[in-house]
Amino acid sequence: MITLKDNGNGTCTVTGTKEGSVIVRAKSADNDEAMSSVRIQVTVPVTGIAWTDDASGPLKLRKGSFIFVEVRVLPENATNKKLTYSVGTEGIIEVTPGESSFVLKGKSQGSTTFTVTTEDGGHSVTRDVEVVFR
């Protein structure tokens, strides 16, 4: 989970190598009773977000129909993959969120935007959505 590098001056550099928790204990070379410990929590930060499809242009759906959209949080081993979403114009689509996927339902004719944002880092992706009657 971590690597330790002795800096040669009584300090060391700690580098996280994978997510998890570890306890590091240090003991004095001069005094066996002088000891300290610290718990280190290693997390993997989010570096981006992407739609899982490669489609460009707006998502189009009919009023009353559904479309399934999914995002990928990067890197895949990120610690906090929590997402939030927003809709540009309320009332045009209804959103049912999942863990990394969303169901969009056409509610009324019109155009709006649909944005998904990561809690960690605030990375976001946006799609235009058009709802038509026919």
Side-chain angles (χ1 to χ4, degrees), residues 3 14 16 37 54-56 64 72 75 79 84 87 91 96 98 104-106 108:
T3 59
V14 179
S37 64
D54 293 327
S56 61
R72 182 175 50 251
T79 303
T84 59
V87 175
T96 304
L104 309 182
K105 178 181 181 183
S108 64

Side-chain angles (χ1 to χ4, degrees), residues 21-36:
S21 178
V22 65
I23 296 174
V24 176
R25 290 184 177 89
K27 186 171 128 178
S28 170
D30 300 333
N31 179 352
D32 285 343
E33 294 183 22
M35 191 168 29
S36 184

Side-chain angles (χ1 to χ4, degrees), residues 49 51 69-71 73 82-86 100 102 114-118 122-127:
I49 185 173
W51 298 109
V69 295
E70 190 171 15
V71 295
V73 175
K82 291 181 184 173
L83 302 169
T84 59
Y85 73 89
S86 62
S100 64
F102 301 84
F114 175 66
T115 302
V116 180
T117 305
T118 63
H123 303 278
S124 64
V125 288
T126 299
R127 293 291 287 269

Side-chain angles (χ1 to χ4, degrees), residues 18-80:
K18 73 177 191 175
E19 180 181 0
S21 178
V22 65
I23 296 174
V24 176
R25 290 184 177 89
K27 186 171 128 178
S28 170
D30 300 333
N31 179 352
D32 285 343
E33 294 183 22
M35 191 168 29
S36 184
S37 64
V38 63
R39 177 180 297 276
I40 298 174
Q41 182 69 39
V42 178
T43 60
V44 178
V46 172
T47 59
I49 185 173
W51 298 109
T52 57
D53 66 359
D54 293 327
S56 61
L59 297 169
K60 295 183 181 186
L61 64 156
R62 292 188 179 119
K63 180 181 175 189
S65 69
F66 299 87
I67 190 168
F68 176 81
V69 295
E70 190 171 15
V71 295
R72 182 175 50 251
V73 175
L74 306 170
E76 291 190 21
N77 65 336
T79 303
N80 180 355

